Each structure stands twice: as structure tokens, then as C-alpha cells.
Amino acid sequence: MQNLKSINKAFICFIIMIFSVGFLSITLKPENAYAVEDYRTWRQNDPRWGYKYLGESSDTVRKSGCAITALSMLCVHSGAASADKINPGVVVDYFNSVNGFNKYGGINNWGTITGLVPDLKFKGSVAMKYSTQAEIANEIKTQMKNGYYVICHVKNHFVLVDSVVGNKVYMYDPACNDTDMFAKYPELNYIDGLRLFKASTSPITSPSSSVAPQTTSASGSVSSTIVKTTTSKAPVVTTSKAPVTTSKAPVTTTTPSVTKPQNYALGYYKTTDNLNHRKGPSTSYSTYGVIPKGTQIPVYEVSNGWGRIYYNKKDAWVCLEYASFISDFKFSYGGYTASSDIKLLTKQAFDSDLILTIPAGASFEVAASNNIWGFAHYNGKSGWINLLGDVSLCKNINFEKGTYKATYPINLRESSLLSGKLLGVIPQNAEFTVDEGGYNVVKVTYNGISGWAYIYSAEKIIKPVIILPTGEYFITSSGTTPLYASADKNSAVIVNAPSGYVINILEVNNDWGRISVGADTAWISMANVTYAGASPELKKGDINGDGNIDNLDLAVLNQYLDSLQYIPDGISMLRAAEIQSADINESGIVDNNDVLDYLIKICIN
């Protein structure tokens, strides 16, 4: 009996252990404390999916997967999917399974994502062409206010937009850890399109919690952890009865009013009173002096009601309570000229490092603007300049074809775009040619290299006009010289004329001379000929003009007659006066009869 009790006791303990383990396994499910991967840290070069091919193309996610990575981020960012279910590898596999990529590895149809994530729907694309940061930021912010999530196409690359703050656009970039889109991609003409999506939740246009501080590992990668939480109901607020007072007078409760700080915009303001401009954003800072009432000032940073300005070549602060907003900043890109020495800086800050100084009078290129800062190119270098300094946008000048001299260094690019590859720099005082006339940026050739340039830092070399006469010319180029069907080196070649022969130019048109070759009209470059001068006076028979009629003249005559066998009409070994002298029998034709008459005359003499 005692043994039976012991067995029953052991069995009951065993059952309790089973239930305890079962209970623990139920209550300690990992999903109740689950660390989800931060989608903001996904990069296209992640080894987990970077090796995957995009469709049948030879491109991988690592090489060309910015679009599919940005789209994967958006699935989680919009709340349409969870990072424990979706990542770029999963999305690529799905797109590959439904032939979602074209032959180049690009996305065939952005709407394909709905088949994997039903709550996310592609709504279309918007093409953009804006010249200022404010215009681009406003367009993106408008789309987000309309309920769209935005993937932005910038410089052949895709990024996911998180939020817009003032004139700044914050992003998640599949290729790097940068978050300020304009700082990373300052050439605004390359921000050219948006891809719009909708989900059950609408995007946040103001600074969102997703632009959160992130920890950076020693390797430089960004990491952060989001912990899943359950959203509890809002706490119930109960109002207790008012306390009983002994006074019969009614109790009045006054709620203190809270004044929301005014949201001042960046741009141009006008002072509404005489206003101190100070060294910092409070009255505790010393003043540079007083800005008169009614003065226009540029505000490029705002902090607690104070505006940072650039005034009288000083970086200062003013209280914006005493100024009224006029307009946004708007600077064009293109060619600019410095009226005084201008600093090219590494960052958009007056105290940043100096790259070089653009000298007064020099022209340079501005590819983009950000408030008062312009992203500029000069003498092969790029950096930021203060557009409120002594700079001015160049007038739209029509540059004609011709020879020019660089008064300051000029960038030479492979295309007419400011983002075109830099081929080199035309040095100061170097000569170059403008091959195709035009406005603003023109095609030029320097030192055998053809490209495009803003040539405001150049002056045309006016060469004296030499009016070349018509008449006989010697062909003086080495070898043979082509005669063209028209005054263009790209036209057909009629014949090649030997050096030393004579042609009769009937018309001179710029650098070309027109002649008759048999029944055809031909053109020769005037650079290949030398004017023969006035026609010489020669005695009959004295072809070489040495005063004698002898074997030397007969030899010249025979060479001339031989040349007629292979040289066409219009090209001659002899000048017209020499041919007339060789017609010793005065028949009007130089032939073998003249040879016989020469022999008789020589024998008699």
C-alpha cells in the first residue's frame, strides 16, 4: 500500500511538470517580445540578397537593385507588411517568379508588388523638372499630403522618401546611410521623377519618428532595433465632481493659453522696424549694428523665432518678430560671374573648409541651389558658394563660331549638361575654337579635344579680315591636295591635285576657293594654296624667263605636254603666261608642232 501511494505521488508530480512546461511554452511565446529587423538599414549590397539576379539580366541586386530595395523598404514603411515577412530578398524572389523584371533588370511594372503585398498599390509616376530645392520639396510634400508614399528617382538611382521638413527632403537610400537627399544629390536637374503608392495608412509629411537616431557600428553600418509592441486602448479620462466650496460665489477655472511658436519660412524678409543683427540667436549676443526699417534681408535658417541672415557680408541673426516674409529663395542654375573673390567651400556653412577662391571676374557653373547655397564647379573643382555674395547670373549671350581665349580657367565637359563628365580644363590664356555657335553652353575644341563649355570667361579673338584676290595660285601643301564638290571637308572629293601645280581661283568664300575642273566646279581650302602674284611678261619661246630660247625651255615644254595626259583641265603645270610663251608658232594650241619649231630655232641659233 505504501508503494502504491509513492507511485501515485510520483505520477501526480510528473503530470504537474508536464502542465508547467506546457504553460511556460504558452506564456513565453517569442512573439510577445520579438525584435524586428530595422528596414531602414536594408542596403542593396547586403550579402543575404546582393548576389540575386534581377530577372534574366546579368545585373544583381548589389549592382542595380536600388529600385527593388526601396520598394521593399516601402512595404514596411507604409505599414502594409512586416519586416519579419518581407525583405529585399523575398521581393526579388517574388518578382523573378512572375517575370517582374525586364531584360535590363529594371522593374516591368511597379504594380506587381500588390500581388505580394495586397495593401500596397502603385498609383502612377510624376515627371519633374525643377531648378530649386524648394520647388522639388514642395512637389514631394504635396504628393504626400494627398496620401501618396513616394519613391524618388535621382541620378539614375531610387530612394524612398520619409518626410519633408521645410525645404529639406529626408530619405532612406538603398546604397548608403545618408538621409538628407539634397545634400547627397545636389544636382537638382537629375531629380526627375516620382513613383507614387498608397496603403491603408497615409504618409506623415512632417518629421516622423522614422527619422530616428541610429547607432553606427565600428564598420560604419547603421543599426537599430524596433521592438514589437501591442497598441493599447487610450486611457479613459474621468472627470470628478467639482469640490464643494463654502463660498456662494461661482468658481471660475482659468486655463492658461499656450502660444504655439510661429513657423517661420526660409526666404526673403523685410524689416518692419529698425533691427539689430547679432552674433547669435538671442539678445544676449553682441550686435553688429542696426538694419534700417524696410530693408530686405535673406533668412536661411530659423531657430526659436530668430532668423540667420547674410547681411553686409556678415553671418548674423535677427529676431523675426520684427520682419515680414516676402518670398522664397529661387536661384537659377547655369553660368555665374564673381564680382569679387568668392570662396568655394566643402559644405553649406561659412566656417567650412576652403577648396579654392574663385577670383573676381571669373565665371563658373552652378548646378543646383539650396537656400542661399549653390553647388558650383570651377577649374575642375566642385563645392558650395554663397549665392548672396558678389555673384550674378550670366546673361544669355549668343556665342558665334570662331577662335576664343580663356580669360580664366573653363571646364570642358563631354555633354551640355552640368553633370556631364569633366574632360579637362581649358587653362587661362589658352586659345580654343567654338565649333557650333549658340547660347549659354556651346560646343568647343581645345587641344584636339571636343566638348561643351560655358565660355563666359573667354573673349573672342578678332583676326584681321584678309580679302584674298582671285587669279592664279600655287598648290603649296605637301603631297596631294583634295578638291571638294562643295566648300565643306565632308563633301565628296572630285580629284587630288599635286603640289606645285597651278590653279585659277574664280571666287574666294571665307576659307575656300572655287575653281573649274573640266566641266565640274570644285573647291579648295585656301590654307593649301599661295597666291602666284601678277602675271609675268615673257618673250615667245622663253618659257622659263631667263632671256634665252634653248634646251631648258624645250625640256619644260615636253614635261608640260606629258602632264596633259594625266592632269585634268583646270590644273596646270604652267601658268597662263608660260603657256602663251610656249605657243611658239602662235597657233593658239601648245602641241608637238611647237616642239618641232623649238628644235629648228635651237639648231639655227
Side-chain angles (χ1 to χ4, degrees):
M1 189 69 177
Q2 184 67 32
N3 290 339
L4 181 60
K5 287 182 178 180
S6 299
I7 292 170
N8 288 339
K9 188 174 182 180
F11 177 76
I12 292 170
C13 290
F14 176 74
I15 295 299
I16 291 173
M17 286 177 64
I18 291 175
F19 275 103
S20 298
V21 171
F23 176 78
L24 288 172
S25 67
I26 293 172
T27 57
L28 297 180
K29 284 184 178 180
E31 64 184 15
N32 290 334
Y34 185 85
V36 180
E37 183 178 9
D38 186 354
Y39 67 91
R40 296 172 296 176
T41 67
W42 289 343
R43 299 292 178 262
Q44 63 192 78
N45 63 356
D46 193 304
R48 289 175 292 174
W49 49 72
Y51 67 92
K52 293 178 180 285
Y53 284 97
L54 303 174
E56 298 299 321
S57 76
S58 60
D59 286 350
T60 61
V61 178
R62 176 187 299 275
K63 181 180 178 183
S64 304
C66 57
I68 207 71
T69 306
L71 186 58
S72 304
M73 289 178 175
L74 177 56
C75 292
V76 181
H77 182 72
S78 64
S82 172
D84 60 346
K85 304 292 185 183
I86 290 290
N87 64 39
V90 173
V91 177
V92 169
D93 289 343
Y94 175 74
F95 269 67
N96 279 331
S97 70
V98 296
N99 296 319
F101 296 106
N102 60 33
K103 63 180 180 179
Y104 305 108
I107 293 176
N108 270 327
N109 183 351
W110 291 81
T112 302
I113 191 63
T114 304
L116 181 64
V117 183
D119 191 38
L120 186 64
K121 295 177 175 60
F122 176 59
K123 294 298 182 179
S125 301
V126 174
M128 298 193 305
K129 190 174 182 181
Y130 295 122
S131 59
T132 69
Q133 176 179 327
E135 290 172 325
I136 295 173
N138 184 63
E139 174 66 28
I140 294 175
K141 190 169 186 177
T142 298
Q143 297 296 344
M144 295 181 74
K145 283 185 176 179
N146 290 335
Y148 294 108
Y149 290 92
V150 176
I151 289 178
C152 189
H153 187 242
V154 47
K155 206 167 186 180
N156 296 321
H157 183 61
F158 287 97
V159 300
L160 172 62
V161 174
D162 172 71
S163 58
V164 181
V165 183
N167 290 338
K168 284 194 173 185
V169 175
Y170 291 97
M171 65 171 182
Y172 302 134
D173 194 325
C176 63
N177 298 333
D178 296 80
T179 56
D180 187 332
M181 190 172 79
F182 294 125
K184 177 65 177 175
Y185 304 106
E187 295 182 329
L188 304 185
N189 54 322
Y190 265 78
I191 304 177
D192 56 9
L194 309 177
R195 306 295 186 270
L196 307 179
F197 298 81
K198 278 201 172 181
S200 297
T201 59
S202 296
I204 300 171
T205 57
S206 59
S208 70
S209 59
S210 56
V211 183
Q214 300 169 335
T215 59
T216 305
S217 66
S219 63
S221 61
V222 178
S223 63
S224 59
T225 303
I226 301 174
V227 180
K228 272 190 177 179
T229 58
T230 56
T231 305
S232 61
K233 294 182 180 180
V236 179
V237 179
T238 57
T239 305
S240 61
K241 293 181 181 180
V244 178
T245 62
T246 55
S247 171
K248 293 183 179 181
V251 177
T252 304
T253 303
T254 304
T255 303
S257 60
V258 178
T259 303
K260 185 179 180 180
Q262 186 172 346
N263 184 22
Y264 291 102
L266 305 180
Y268 291 105
Y269 284 70
K270 181 184 287 186
T271 58
T272 56
D273 204 339
N274 292 336
L275 184 59
N276 285 314
H277 56 303
R278 300 180 179 275
K279 294 183 178 180
S282 78
T283 55
S284 63
Y285 287 91
S286 60
T287 177
Y288 288 116
V290 174
I291 302 174
K293 178 180 178 180
T295 303
Q296 180 174 298
I297 53 175
V299 174
Y300 68 94
E301 185 181 333
V302 172
S303 176
N304 296 323
W306 286 77
R308 194 172 188 176
I309 68 170
Y310 186 74
Y311 179 76
N312 276 353
K313 298 184 179 181
K314 287 185 174 63
D315 184 28
W317 292 81
V318 297
C319 180
L320 292 178
E321 184 179 346
Y322 303 100
S324 59
F325 180 77
I326 301 174
S327 66
D328 294 324
F329 292 121
K330 187 172 183 179
F331 296 102
S332 299
Y333 58 83
Y336 279 72
T337 297
S339 301
S340 62
D341 290 354
I342 298 296
K343 294 179 179 179
L344 187 68
L345 305 171
T346 56
K347 298 179 181 178
Q348 301 172 57
F350 290 102
D351 57 355
S352 61
D353 294 334
L354 177 69
I355 298 173
L356 55 78
T357 298
I358 302 174
S363 292
F364 54 92
E365 307 152 13
V366 172
S369 62
N370 180 6
N371 294 328
I372 68 168
W373 298 98
F375 189 68
H377 308 292
Y378 176 72
N379 200 10
K381 303 291 185 180
S382 299
W384 294 93
I385 66 158
N386 170 24
L387 288 173
L388 295 174
D390 291 335
V391 300
S392 58
L393 183 67
C394 296
K395 294 180 180 179
N396 206 12
I397 299 173
N398 182 19
F399 295 101
E400 299 176 345
K401 292 173 63 175
T403 304
Y404 289 74
K405 183 175 77 171
T407 53
Y408 291 94
I410 296 174
N411 290 329
L412 182 64
R413 300 186 179 278
E414 69 175 0
S415 74
S416 59
L417 298 175
L418 287 171
S419 56
K421 180 182 176 182
L422 186 68
L423 298 176
V425 175
I426 302 174
Q428 188 174 13
N429 297 322
E431 292 188 10
F432 61 94
T433 59
V434 172
D435 304 320
E436 298 177 12
Y439 290 91
N440 209 22
V441 57
V442 292
K443 192 171 186 180
V444 305
T445 298
Y446 167 69
N447 203 20
I449 301 173
S450 293
W452 296 81
Y454 286 79
I455 62 169
Y456 295 103
S457 284
E459 56 186 20
K460 189 173 184 182
I461 298 175
I462 307 298
K463 294 184 177 180
V465 178
I466 301 174
I467 301 175
L468 297 174
T470 57
E472 291 182 319
Y473 281 77
F474 293 112
I475 299 174
T476 52
S477 61
S478 60
T480 58
T481 298
L483 304 183
Y484 296 94
S486 63
D488 183 354
K489 289 184 178 179
N490 294 320
S491 63
V493 176
I494 293 177
V495 68
N496 287 299
S499 179
Y501 277 62
V502 180
I503 56 175
N504 184 33
I505 293 182
L506 306 173
E507 175 192 355
V508 177
N509 186 351
N510 292 327
D511 296 327
W512 292 89
R514 179 175 64 83
I515 64 175
S516 292
V517 179
D520 295 322
T521 295
W523 293 84
I524 187 170
S525 170
M526 298 301 290
N528 295 326
V529 296
T530 301
Y531 184 54
S535 180
E537 293 183 6
L538 300 172
K539 293 190 308 181
K540 278 293 181 185
D542 186 13
I543 302 174
N544 60 11
D546 64 357
N548 300 312
I549 300 172
D550 52 22
N551 289 333
L552 294 176
D553 297 301
L554 180 58
V556 172
L557 175 58
N558 282 320
Q559 289 178 8
Y560 170 72
L561 292 174
D562 287 341
S563 71
L564 295 179
Q565 306 303 314
Y566 59 88
I567 295 297
D569 261 352
I571 305 172
S572 176
M573 178 183 161
L574 299 178
R575 296 187 63 180
E578 294 169 336
I579 295 172
Q580 188 177 359
S581 174
D583 184 17
I584 198 169
N585 61 13
E586 299 188 41
S587 65
I589 300 174
V590 177
D591 53 18
N592 287 329
N593 291 326
D594 294 296
V595 174
L596 292 174
D597 287 343
Y598 262 97
L599 289 172
I600 294 170
K601 194 174 275 290
I602 291 170
C603 289
I604 293 172
N605 292 336

